[in-house]
Amino acid sequence: MSHYIVLRVVSKLMIPVILIFALYVQFHGEYSPGGGFQAGIVFTAAFVVYALLFGLDAAQRAVPPVVAHVLAAVGVLIFIAFGYAPLFLGGNFLEYKVLLPNDQAGETLGIIGIELGVGITVAAVALTLFYSFAGRDVR
Amino acid sequence: MEVRRWGCVIEAIIDIVLLTFLVIVGVAILLVRNLLAVTMLTGIYSLLVATLFVLLDAVDVALTEAAVGAGLLVILMLATIALTTQKEKVHAARQNAVALVVVVVTGAALIYGTLDIPPFGDPNAPAHVHLSPRFTQESPEEIGIPNMVTSVLATYRGIDTLGEAVVIFAAAVGVLLVLGTGRVRRRRDTEEHEDEARERS
């Protein structure tokens, strides 16, 4: 689709906006609708648009599949780390309020942390799925 | 008071229109044989469902449905169609009386079951008297963030969410094992093409 000049120009304007919106959905999730899951999908949408317009190999040069695979695991590990961290501070599994002296601040820190883990996992997994499906017909 | 009543009427009309569209799109998905069209209809279906979620004030769910159902799922199905075929194989339709009876009886039982469900928005419904008051009244104090969906998701039901994240990760592992990484090996002709472009610039 690389010969559609209008699509190329518009996508170059839109892709940064999509990425910023994904970050907004991610880090504003405590105050407005959204969170890690939605943000991850929106973040990947930007790369899917890029791959559709500029080709799969261009997208894979930007984010190699290996990076996506590693990040998918890293996201889950961040989540699990925020689950285990309270155990060392005298709390239960996933009991974030012991992370900081102030209960509310601790809870908020925990929520931001695990939402980040979910966001990274979802974005990486969605990208992995897209690569796996789209990269298969190259023979 | 008058304005409020008209608001309810308008909301009811929008609900009816959306639900009608939902049924039409659902029947169309069953009848249309071109899988490309079916994929697009599935995206429209998700978008309609997302709109209904907005009307029910479930904006978090609506955002997810719109992003996953109308966005990512359509892309993945298009990629699958590109790998396989656009035409659905049509088998000769056989009448099966037993299947019809089973479907009708199950449907009737499900509809009979809905008669016991409390009406929409009933403040005395079990869902509204058991855990909701606890979450809506005490979570802002306890967690300190305004979006209760996030606090329920991340703290009260943290282990559920951890399970979800692991399931998503497992899904990726499964697809990788079956389909491979999808890594594009750059062929020589594309590299030559790029070298030309570099020389020109």
Side-chain angles (χ1 to χ4, degrees), chain A residues 43-84:
Chain A
F43 200 78
T44 297
F47 290 99
V48 171
V49 170
Y50 185 73
L52 288 178
L53 283 165
F54 297 92
L56 194 61
D57 57 336
Q60 293 195 347
R61 241 174 289 147
V63 184
V66 179
V67 174
H69 303 164
V70 172
L71 284 179
V74 166
V76 174
L77 288 176
I78 290 176
F79 199 139
I80 292 173
F82 271 93
Y84 276 110

Side-chain angles (χ1 to χ4, degrees), chain B residues 184-197:
Chain B
V184 178
R185 282 185 200 83
R186 289 172 62 194
R187 286 163 296 178
R188 200 170 295 140
D189 54 346
T190 55
E191 278 174 10
E192 274 172 16
H193 192 71
E194 269 166 21
D195 289 343
E196 272 174 32

Side-chain angles (χ1 to χ4, degrees), chain B residues 109-121:
Chain B
L110 289 175
I111 292 172
Y112 177 72
T114 62
L115 298 179
D116 268 352
I117 291 176
F120 177 66

Side-chain angles (χ1 to χ4, degrees), chain B residues 42-114:
Chain B
T42 317
I44 296 172
Y45 192 91
S46 286
L47 214 55
L48 287 170
V49 173
T51 321
L52 277 170
F53 284 144
V54 173
L55 283 178
L56 292 169
D57 280 341
V59 268
D60 283 87
V61 192
L63 193 55
T64 314
E65 179 67 40
V68 178
L72 189 73
L73 200 68
V74 171
I75 296 281
L76 290 182
M77 288 208 280
L78 285 178
T80 312
I81 286 176
L83 292 178
T84 54
T85 171
Q86 248 192 64
K87 278 271 172 233
E88 187 180 342
K89 247 187 220 153
V90 184
H91 298 285
R94 272 186 306 134
Q95 256 74 38
N96 190 337
V98 180
L100 182 69
V101 170
V102 169
V103 168
V104 168
V105 169
T106 313
L110 289 175
I111 292 172
Y112 177 72
T114 62

Side-chain angles (χ1 to χ4, degrees), chain B residues 14-38:
Chain B
I14 295 175
D15 273 343
I16 291 168
V17 170
L18 283 175
L19 287 170
T20 315
F21 271 129
L22 213 57
V23 173
I24 294 171
V25 174
V27 172
I29 289 175
L30 282 178
L31 295 181
V32 173
R33 293 286 172 210
N34 185 339
L35 293 176
L36 203 63
V38 170

Side-chain angles (χ1 to χ4, degrees), chain A residues 21 25 29-35 37-38 41-42 44 48 52 56-57 60-61 64-65 69 72-73 76 79-80 93-94 96 103-105 107-108 111 114-115 118 121-122 125-126 128-139, chain B residues 59-61 63-64 67-68 72 75-76 79-80 82-83 140-148 150-151 153-155 157-166 168-169 171-172 175-176 178-187 190 194:
Chain A
F21 179 68
V25 170
E30 301 99 88
Y31 303 98
S32 61
F37 195 88
Q38 294 89 336
I41 298 285
V42 175
T44 297
V48 171
L52 288 178
L56 194 61
D57 57 336
Q60 293 195 347
R61 241 174 289 147
H69 303 164
V76 174
F79 199 139
I80 292 173
F93 189 65
L94 289 171
Y96 320 120
D103 274 8
Q104 286 194 358
E107 295 275 11
T108 310
I111 289 174
I114 69 142
E115 291 279 11
V118 171
T121 295
V122 170
V125 166
T128 303
L129 295 184
F130 176 71
Y131 281 166
S132 290
F133 276 83
R136 228 179 122 69
D137 63 338
V138 181
R139 293 207 178 96
Chain B
V59 268
D60 283 87
V61 192
L63 193 55
T64 314
V68 178
L72 189 73
I75 296 281
L76 290 182
T80 312
L83 292 178
E141 195 70 13
E142 219 167 28
I143 315 291
I145 62 170
N147 187 354
M148 283 164 205
T150 303
S151 40
L153 210 113
T155 54
R157 294 191 174 273
I159 293 179
D160 277 27
T161 312
L162 175 59
E164 270 171 41
V166 174
I168 293 167
F169 178 67
V175 169
L176 280 176
V178 175
L179 289 181
T181 59
R183 199 179 137 79
V184 178
R185 282 185 200 83
R186 289 172 62 194
R187 286 163 296 178
T190 55
E194 269 166 21

